[in-house]
Amino acid sequence: RRLDGNGIFLSRRTRNVTIEVLFEWLGENGIATWGDTDGYDATAGDFPMYTTIQKNVFRELGIYQKQSSAVGQFKAALTTIRDNIMFNMPRAAINFNDVVGGGEIIQGNLIFNSCRESGDHGPINTWDRQAYLTTLRDGSTKSFDPIPRNIHHNFIFANYGGSQAVDNDDGSSWFHIYKNLFYSAEGFKMDYGGHDSIYEDNLIMTYPYDGMQCFHLDAFSNGPSHTYRRNRCLIGLGNYMDSGCGDPSCATPTPYPEDYVHVGSCHCDEPNLKMYSNEYYTQEGDAVIHCGDEEYDLEELPEKFGLEAGSTKSKFPDEETIVKWAQEMINDMILSKKETAISLQVKV
């Protein structure tokens, strides 16, 4: 509390550290990690692993250093971040700088009021600009492929300058994002060659700014791609805000145009892209997909590109139904928390 720098800093070879603290009024990050590698070679394992960050409250962070987070992970692996409350900070609540081995679990967190002094970011932000060689994927073989990261059963508000609830930026790959409740947030984002991620069973409510959509996927390399399935997305809720809105005062109450039906954009001809069984809700009940420079109605995609089989479009349901859907997601989060607690007791 009331430190000029980081609350806790984990450096190089740390193992099985558990953190349960109140973090508030800090100059930089709540928790930061840093490992040591030989360039891209991380096989020596000289970096933090098996850290558990749970039941913490993070608030009023980044007083001096604005590129800071509740949890800033740099060169670390197999971190569990669960059952935390994170709010009131200038940038992302959770920031992954890279993927050194992967294997993170982000579960059961409540995040809001992040990105209060910045934009083009998200409450959870990820980068993957440098591949690292480890043996973590199967325990013995050297590989640049990490263990997938799991982000599930979280309740995240991408308000203030946030964009996506999970901003998978700069080639971010190997994510499994499922059963989350995302409010005021764009849905699935991947760019700059990101691949091998699964985004499924999420409830996405866009109270957006800057024309946010249910998904926005950049081009791949005709190799590994993504899966987007069984998501429920309501697009165009509330009023429109201009890009870079970092303060409520710039949220000009301009309603969405009634014909706002653009639910997503991607390169629809990518051979390994899988999209199906999603539900789209708009003011008018229509749904249009941007496929590169062309636009197609949702029902055209199965025949033309083999995408969105079994997906539906509808007008917004009544508020009671929307609240019911949100409550179902929260109930599932509570159940997941209980199942995790039982699983941990069995292991002990």
Side-chain angles (χ1 to χ4, degrees):
R1 177 182 296 177
R2 297 189 181 279
L3 300 174
D4 289 345
N6 300 304
I8 293 176
F9 185 74
L10 301 179
S11 179
R12 302 184 71 175
R13 186 181 287 267
T14 66
R15 297 291 186 269
N16 300 301
V17 176
T18 298
I19 301 172
E20 298 182 12
V21 183
L22 168 63
F23 296 87
E24 60 181 356
W25 297 104
L26 300 179
E28 298 185 23
N29 300 278
I31 300 167
T33 69
W34 182 255
D36 193 11
T37 64
D38 183 8
Y40 64 77
D41 189 344
T43 55
D46 196 12
F47 50 85
M49 292 174 61
Y50 302 106
T51 305
T52 299
I53 300 168
Q54 63 181 12
K55 301 178 182 178
N56 301 280
V57 175
F58 299 86
R59 61 186 296 265
E60 272 65 46
L61 307 180
I63 305 301
Y64 303 122
Q65 173 55 260
K66 301 309 176 183
Q67 182 67 284
S68 58
S69 302
V71 180
Q73 179 164 307
F74 306 82
K75 292 187 178 181
L78 295 161
T79 304
T80 296
I81 305 171
R82 67 170 169 244
D83 300 337
N84 301 284
I85 301 175
M86 306 174 177
F87 62 97
N88 291 1
M89 53 201 69
R91 201 75 169 134
I94 300 172
N95 188 30
F96 292 110
N97 183 71
D98 44 63
V99 185
V100 178
E104 280 70 35
I105 298 173
I106 301 91
Q107 174 189 6
N109 301 286
L110 172 62
I111 303 175
F112 59 96
N113 288 8
S114 63
C115 301
R116 293 202 304 172
E117 300 177 58
S118 60
D120 189 22
H121 215 53
I124 298 178
N125 181 75
T126 72
W127 294 311
D128 193 5
R129 298 164 179 162
Q130 171 65 60
Y132 286 94
L133 189 69
T134 74
T135 59
L136 296 183
R137 180 79 179 194
D138 66 4
S140 59
T141 307
K142 293 183 179 181
S143 175
F144 286 103
D145 291 348
I147 304 170
R149 281 176 168 155
N150 287 274
I151 300 176
H152 65 97
H153 292 99
N154 300 282
F155 190 1
I156 301 178
F157 295 71
N159 57 334
Y160 282 90
S163 301
Q164 304 79 16
V166 182
D167 187 348
N168 290 127
D169 202 3
D170 289 6
S172 295
S173 304
W174 304 101
F175 281 83
H176 188 190
I177 302 170
Y178 63 100
K179 294 188 176 180
N180 300 282
L181 174 52
F182 296 148
Y183 183 80
S184 183
E186 185 171 61
F188 188 25
K189 176 202 171 180
M190 283 285 175
D191 62 10
Y192 298 111
H195 57 84
D196 284 290
S197 290
I198 301 172
Y199 193 100
E200 61 184 348
D201 299 311
N202 300 288
L203 176 56
I204 309 148
M205 299 185 184
T206 67
Y207 191 121
Y209 79 103
D210 201 21
M212 296 306 172
Q213 304 173 92
C214 301
F215 61 87
H216 182 88
L217 307 178
D218 205 350
F220 312 108
S221 301
N222 292 326
S225 189
H226 300 302
T227 298
Y228 179 83
R229 64 192 175 198
R230 298 191 306 273
N231 299 286
R232 177 178 282 158
C233 180
L234 297 88
I235 184 165
L237 295 172
N239 298 321
Y240 184 84
M241 293 179 282
D242 291 331
S243 178
C245 180
D247 183 275
S249 65
C250 71
T252 304
T254 303
Y256 257 86
E258 292 183 359
D259 62 349
Y260 192 84
V261 295
H262 299 97
V263 300
S265 60
C266 64
H267 289 254
C268 301
D269 56 354
E270 294 291 340
N272 295 308
L273 178 62
K274 298 179 178 65
M275 304 177 71
Y276 58 89
S277 300
N278 298 293
E279 299 177 19
Y280 300 103
Y281 297 87
T282 65
Q283 292 180 359
E284 295 301 306
D286 293 321
V288 173
I289 313 293
H290 284 277
C291 294
D293 295 329
E294 303 294 331
E295 294 184 357
Y296 296 92
D297 290 331
L298 177 66
E299 55 267 27
E300 295 180 85
L301 266 64
E303 181 176 352
K304 187 168 185 62
F305 299 106
L307 301 176
E308 296 288 15
S311 296
T312 61
K313 60 181 185 180
S314 305
K315 289 185 177 181
F316 288 145
D318 56 38
E319 292 183 3
E320 182 178 346
T321 298
I322 297 174
V323 171
K324 176 176 176 290
W325 289 342
Q327 187 62 61
E328 289 172 350
M329 297 294 292
I330 293 171
N331 290 342
D332 193 39
M333 294 174 196
I334 296 170
L335 178 61
S336 174
K337 180 177 180 178
K338 291 179 179 177
E339 290 174 344
T340 298
I342 292 171
S343 174
L344 292 173
Q345 290 173 1
V346 170
K347 289 181 180 179
V348 172

